[in-house]
Amino acid sequence: MTSMEPAPHPGNQACTPWGFWATTAYGMAAIVAWMATQLSVAFLVLAAIGVGRNASDFEVETLASHALTIALATILAMPAPIAVIAAAARLRRCAVADYLALRSPKPADLIVGLIFIAVLLPLGDLSSWMTGRDLVPAAVVEAYRSARSSGTLVLLALALVVAAPLMEELLFRGFLFRGYAASRLGPWGAIALTSLGWAVMHVQYEAFYIVQIFVLGLAFGWLRWRSGSTTLTVILHGIVNALALMQVAFIVEQAAP
């Protein structure tokens, strides 16, 4: 047992996770399933509302449908990758909830997580301000504005605060972390590698914001190891996204005429 490995939780002893390469293969399959479903849903949404009927109205219609497309693609694509990693856990003859560490976090771990958020988010904003960048990526602001104009704010909030954190945490801090931590990488390597993969997945942002996401991923990974609970990072991820959405709302509404 490494120095960073927590005491096993009840029910874990009989469940041996997949090795490094199998974990990576199943993780990649989940990501492919997620991307394919997202693209399919996005295409169907854009086709249903008639975006691109002619070149003159493409830009206006794309903006108006931006939030709707993001929200539906995020929500409806969520089951596909979760199904892949759940099947992988079952093929290992493990209970899915046990393999993905879906257990209630202790109050002390939740408090530590909230303290991390209270420190890291202002530091992220400070670094953005000191480097002359927007506090929130332009893509998020554009999504909020299009949701506001099209009346789909509730749907966008559901996608960003519930669906995205659930899918991403179950994949990265749940499935991938479990396999990588038990491999030669150990917990430290698992924290670093899952944080890197999670950060790189956010290709819609510029490199500066991806680095910020990587740092947040390191914190989430450490909290996942400390608590033995992926449920904790799902909750914290949802809180971070909710705060970011509230920040965007304040920025946009203040600038609105």
Side-chain angles (χ1 to χ4, degrees), residues 79-92:
I82 293 178
V84 172
I85 59 177
R90 293 303 299 159
L91 285 172
R92 202 61 172 169

Side-chain angles (χ1 to χ4, degrees), residues 168-215:
E168 293 173 14
E169 293 306 316
L170 291 186
L171 175 57
F172 288 96
R173 254 70 64 175
F175 182 80
L176 292 176
F177 181 88
R178 181 72 189 274
Y180 290 156
S183 72
R184 291 184 178 182
L185 285 178
W188 282 116
I191 290 171
L193 189 55
T194 54
S195 299
L196 180 62
W198 181 54
V200 171
M201 190 180 73
H202 293 78
V203 293
Q204 69 270 34
Y205 305 140
E206 66 172 279
F208 177 83
Y209 298 111
I210 292 177
V211 172
Q212 289 187 338
I213 293 170
F214 173 71
V215 173

Side-chain angles (χ1 to χ4, degrees), residues 237-252:
H237 192 159
I239 291 173
V240 168
N241 283 11
L243 291 173
L245 196 59
M246 292 169 62
Q247 187 178 41
V248 172
F250 178 79
I251 293 172
V252 173

Side-chain angles (χ1 to χ4, degrees), residues 37-38 41-42 44-46 49 65-79 152 155-156 159 163:
T37 308
Q38 274 203 328
V41 171
L44 291 174
V45 171
L46 293 176
I49 61 179
S65 63
H66 184 56
L68 178 63
T69 305
I70 290 176
L72 289 179
T74 301
I75 294 169
L76 296 180
M78 179 180 64
T152 56
L155 196 62
L156 181 66

